[in-house]
Amino acid sequence: MPSAPTVLQLDQITKRFGSFTANDAVSLSLKKGEILALLGENGAGKTTLMNILFGHYVADEGTVSVADRSSGALTELPPGQPHAALEAGVGMVHQHFTLAENLSALDNILLGTEPLFSARSARAKGRARLVDLMQRSGLTVDLDARISTLSVGEKQRVEILKALYRDARVLVLDEPTAVLTPQESDTLFETLKTLAAEGLAIIFISHKLDEVIASSDRIAVLRLGKLVADQPTAGSTKLQLAELMVGQTVTLSSRPEQAAGRVLLTLQGASAGDGRAAIHDIDLALNSGEILGIAGVSGNGQATLARLLSGLEPLRKGSLTLEERDLGRTLHGQSARTMIEAGFARIPEDRHKDGIVGAMSIAENLAIETIRAPQNQRFGFLKFGAIAERARAAIKAYDIRCQGERAAARLLSGGNIQKIVLARTLEANPKVVLAAQPSRGLDVGATADVHRRLLDARARGAGVILISEDLDELMRLSDRIAVIHRGRLGPAEATETLDRSTLGLRMAGHDHAADAGEAA
Amino acid sequence: MDFLDIFLNANFWAASLRIATPLIFGVIGALVCERAGVLNLGIEGIFTAGAMAGWMAVWLGAGLWGGVAVAALAGAFFGLIHAILTVPLGLSQHVSGIGVTLFATSLSYFVYRTALPDVSSPPRIEPFKPLDIPGLSDLPFIGPALFQQTALTFLALFVVAATAFVLYRTPLGLAIRAVGDNPSAVESQGLSVYGIRIGAVVAGSALMALGGAFLTMSAFDAFFFGMVNGRGWICIALTVFASWRPGKALLGALLFGAFDAFQVRLQTDVGSFIPGQVFLMMPYILSIAALILVARKADYPRALLVPYFRGQR
Amino acid sequence: FAKDKPLKVAAIYTVPVEQQWVSRIHKALTAAQERGDVTYVYSENTANTDYERVMREYAEQGMDLVVGEAFAVERAARKVAAEYPDTAFLMGSSFGPSKPNFSVFDNFIHEPSYLTGMIAGATTKSNVIGMVGGYAIPEVNRLMNAFMEGALSVNPDVKFLVTFINSWYDPPKAKESAFAMIDKGADVLYAERFGVSDAAKEKGVLAIGNVIDTSADYPGTILASSLWHMEPTIDKAIEAVAGDSFEPADYGSYSYMTYGGGSFVADESLVAPEALAAAKAKEQEILDGLFRVNVNDGEPKSTM
Amino acid sequence: MIRFEPREPASLPRLILIPVAAALIALLLAALPISAAGVNVLEAYGLMGKGAFGSLFSFTEMLTRATPLILTGLAAALAFRAKLWNIGAEGQLYAGALAAVAVGTGWIDAPGVILLPLVVFAGALAGGAVMLGPTLLKTRLGVDEVVTTLLLNFVILLFVQMMLEGPMQDPMGMGWPQSEPILDQAILPKLMDRMRIHGGLIIALAAALAIHILLKRTVWGFEIRAVGENASAAAHAGLPVRATFIRVGLLSGALAGLAGVGEVAGLKGYLTADLSPGFGYSGIVVAMLAGLNPIGVVVAALFIASIFVGADSMSRATGVSNYLADLIVAMALISVLVSGLFLRFRIKFIRPHAAAASTQAASQETK
Ligand SMILES: Nc1ncnc2c1ncn2[C@@H]1O[C@H](COP(=O)(O)OP(=O)(O)OP(=O)(O)O)[C@@H](O)[C@H]1O
Ligand SMILES: Nc1ncnc2c1ncn2[C@@H]1O[C@H](COP(=O)(O)OP(=O)(O)OP(=O)(O)O)[C@@H](O)[C@H]1O
Ligand SMILES: [Mg+2]
Ligand SMILES: [Mg+2]
């Protein structure tokens, strides 16, 4: 759309955090109705740039201009004022949602849209406008539902509605698909295209190159804070983009042929959890030397299954055996230790919340699972020297980028946090590896690293359960794939016999090939 | 026994409402603070400051409503200290609260004693008188039970209704509830997290101080040391008991008042064989029991106790 | 001791000086200071934990006489006193004096309490008298018991309601207790604590004052009061210290009516003349040593 | 406009300088009420110093006052480290004192070598037992412990009053609500002749050292820190989260109980319902001033005690109302709190037009 007017202009934005330059003289512009994809490695400065645009951060140099609502002339935004950005028509969907969980969707959308000290809120009018908006955009949510009861996809729709309700003309989405299923992502991009066609200008950040190529009009790439490319999507290839981001060629590891071994882990008729997240009558057999993928739309019991295998959720019914040892009996929901000692390695889904203790040092985080083992303590007293030494070795072996083993773990980026988790869980040569969404939010390089580690574990003869919503990842790594839907797990079938659309259908609840056609 | 007699006596209900009044102010004040995400353990001291300042103003000739205003201002002042320490500065809400209690209490006592060094009996003021509402006050039973209270009691009831209205029906209330749940939701909608939190803490503290003022200007007519006697802490418990809802807060305060009134009446009968302390313990034990029952369901303000720093993730 | 110089006196109170009991000591000492007999300093609201330190500090400062309440710190107080033999200690206590310098006093105003009881017994129409006390300790019990005896002596039908609020200082609570008694039919209240007379005034019933005279604060409410005067006790002690003749002794008797340590006042506009006359007659008997009021430290109980 | 920037490791001079500056500021603030009361400010400061450090007597008095504060401070610091918000040290202190009295007043007749440890242990156990309830309610049913511990303070105080007016009342006490005296052989030894300073101080200092070692060097301490910083991750890593909470609860309660033991078996000899002028609550203040560091707790307790004892003595010497002491402690607390910010953050003052740049305040990643 070469003739469309420019609605947003970032001019020579520079942002420094101390001596570190997160954005280095970045200039970008956006036209009405255009969809721009912003790419870059973890820490490249994408989120920072968008936060400056929205007024959360203040740039050290440079300006942000937005087209005036009436005249259309580019007008400079006062820095550091989110409400000014909102008023000028900039809407932002943050990487971590900014919703009040205890309030309804309607409340979240109306929040701050009326003068604070008015005696009554015009909810009825607001609701009517929203119903109309939902119809036009196809973004439907139950306006009266509490946010805490909504799925991730629904929450995201609320976030977008928040922006549209305020007549946003520029919409920024920070890694919107990181937490969405393929179907949800597809729907999202369809919606975005509709909105763009109506004139909305959109910037989205993503690490998934396929969707970037499929859905954007233009692509901008940041590397180390600098804009290294700003090009039309047409003609861009995945390989070229990956190279632009990383600055060198990226090789993706693939799964070598390997014969599966004996049965390691079996679940029979296993039920656990309650409510929507419960799992029912799950049968599963994991062999050594294989990766078993579990596909499914988030919220269908994966979390409970992961918690069960992590020893955090008691088994309500059925059995759980590892190499003929009955583990189900010993599980009371507080026995992560039992599972670790039995030889389970667990990579939790939310690495910030469940993977590390941010305030403790990297060395302590590396030792946390084995802190009671003789190598870490004697008579209850910690062996600091040994702990530090092993940490230094792990930092080297896993290439954890940090200032040393004494640095607080929270200072690391997501990718490096994941490396801590990998290092400490895989170090003990586990029999079973449970990996839940192991590459969510990670950039190409970090993702490749995680995949390599999982394949290494497989090569050593471990059984890996890979829970993921990313079908590409599942198809590339798994020997067999089973689909989980509404807490029930389908049979695991060899990956070679499956294709994306079959899996997608099963994830949506259409039954397995065996009893074809029946809708759930 | 004369259990029934007690409940059938209108004066018992009047006493319950009277005892509950300072608690109503306190619990609503605490609730407003906590809804915005700030625990205010300064309440005990703010009660004392309100009691002292309101009384002192009247004693100096300010008039009763002038005294109420001064009490509210004193509460707002100490609330502002707590708000500044905990909201933009992000200090521990526990410690700041206890610090404010220490500060407000000792300052009140010090000012009182320095202003009145040589009193042998506490100076008295002319306190609020029970309102005589023509028609209503004369109703049998209902009249003496409900309508022979002072203006401050009615103000307390009005405050409950007004707070409920503001919280649930106005944009301001929505912002307060949201900021206590997730401050970044408020910030991303262009509102000021600090502004709303500070405002809520200041307003809530002013309400707390009215609870103190009730003690010296309505329940009694003089200021005493140690007069607040733990009433502030009870309000903190009642807030949780009420699951942060104004209606339930009123109910909780009334329950507490009724229990106290009941135990005072029962003690003259059975006080000789059941230690009085057993009755005094009951409200606390019941509060704990109630907590156990509501704990799982309570939708507490999720951001309570969590300071918010702009730009932090 | 040089007599030309005023004595240095310090007092240590565990409650604020407004509290009735302590206010009597404070008043007597302030009066002595105004006369120029002593210089007087005090610490009020002293926590029991700090009591001993404060005693020592005053002793170290070279006080001639330290006045206070040893009730919850008996042992410590006696020990400190023993370590500072040059300082005289005069302490409120339920126990006896101890060597070499520890004298005791107490509010022995059971005599006027008996007289106020007579007034109350004669005045009540409902024959129900309410009594609100702090704690059931000897200092309180003996006054209540004497009061009850006095009331029964003129009106055998009278019944008593007794409540202890388990606090020395919670006027709103005392007031609530009094309200509860009025609900139960009491038309005369024995106001051992602050707050009771307020309830009486508000509900239009009558009250009996204790320790201090509050009739001016509650016009038309206070029937009669039994008053405590610390002046005889304090003056006696000052005299002894000044004369270098301070001995461990029980000063309790200086609170008796014969010494002017206790007195009885009544509001003639509220009390029936016959009742007042009977009480006055009994007062004379006491002063003449013809009638002795029992000292009963047992806990009084409700009789209905 | 002010803007905060985090300052990760504070340098040592700063660590010492800033609290000292805060104390000085507190003293400056105290000049307001002092001069309002009509006293020469400089003279008052001199008297304050004398009151806390001027003689062996005042120094030991200051230490005596600090003793329970160290223990309740440790109780709070340890619990807060695990994010177990124990606001109930006051009640636990009374429970400890009650147990000490129950065991030490002749119910068991034994020589001192047996009875004294028994008294100390009983007090610690009782304090721990009181904290066990709220801890279990938190770990099993998710009941907020701030409120339960706060409420239990009142229940326990009433219970103590009930016992002191009932079964445990001293028959020789003339009806006063107080317990029988603790047997001589069960009294904590005095550390100095004619002074009140007692063995409780040794217990307190030993406890501080022990907690320091526990947190820094042991597996349990590691688990406590991990659970406190991120209970969810600790559970994932297989740490015994519930057991850790229970351990911390018991230990924290026991420390507060020991404070009660010290007051009753070291200082007073028998129990009254006004044993503690709020040591439990002050302990929270002490713990936070110390940044939850056990050794810091000792320093903070000494600081608070010397301010209080000094100001109290000064008020007596000058004839100012002794409420001044509490007021100065409160002002000192607030200034030290605020000064803590200077340790954690670099504070920059910037011109108004650049003010918006203050948006990124403390910016540690917390999620
Ligand atoms: N508040 C902050 N304080 C200090 N440094 C920061 C802050 N926010 C970001 N940074 C720095 O800026 C760099 C860019 O961070 P940013 O969040 O913009 O990366 P990103 O491109 O969004 O990465 P990702 O793909 O992981 O989301 C980081 O490497 C970090 O060092
Ligand atoms: N407030 C902050 N202060 C200092 N550094 C920060 C801050 N926020 C982010 N960073 C740094 O920014 C970099 C990228 O952060 P970010 O959280 O976006 O990583 P990420 O890899 O995208 O993680 P995730 O996968 O969870 O999104 C990291 O190096 C992190 O340490
Ligand atoms: Mg980002
Ligand atoms: Mg990211």
Side-chain angles (χ1 to χ4, degrees), chain A residues 42 47 95 175 207 441:
Chain A
N42 292 133
T47 302
Q95 195 170 349
E175 298 192 32
H207 293 296

Side-chain angles (χ1 to χ4, degrees), chain C residues 92-169:
Chain C
S93 167
S94 307
F95 294 87
S98 58
K99 280 193 167 103
N101 57 344
F102 192 88
S103 291
V104 296
F105 66 87
D106 211 339
N107 62 334
F108 281 97
I109 53 164
H110 49 294
E111 295 162 336
S113 295
Y114 184 93
L115 301 175
T116 57
M118 289 174 67
I119 301 283
T123 310
T124 177
K125 296 201 176 59
S126 64
N127 282 343
V128 179
I129 294 178
M131 310 174 71
V132 180
Y135 287 98
I137 52 139
E139 285 59 33
V140 174
N141 296 348
R142 76 172 66 109
L143 308 188
M144 285 190 162
N145 284 323
F147 173 86
M148 289 161 84
E149 246 178 72
L152 286 169
S153 74
V154 297
N155 181 355
D157 296 331
V158 71
K159 299 274 186 252
F160 299 96
L161 296 166
V162 183
T163 302
F164 293 98
I165 59 169
N166 289 316
S167 160
W168 288 131
Y169 218 60

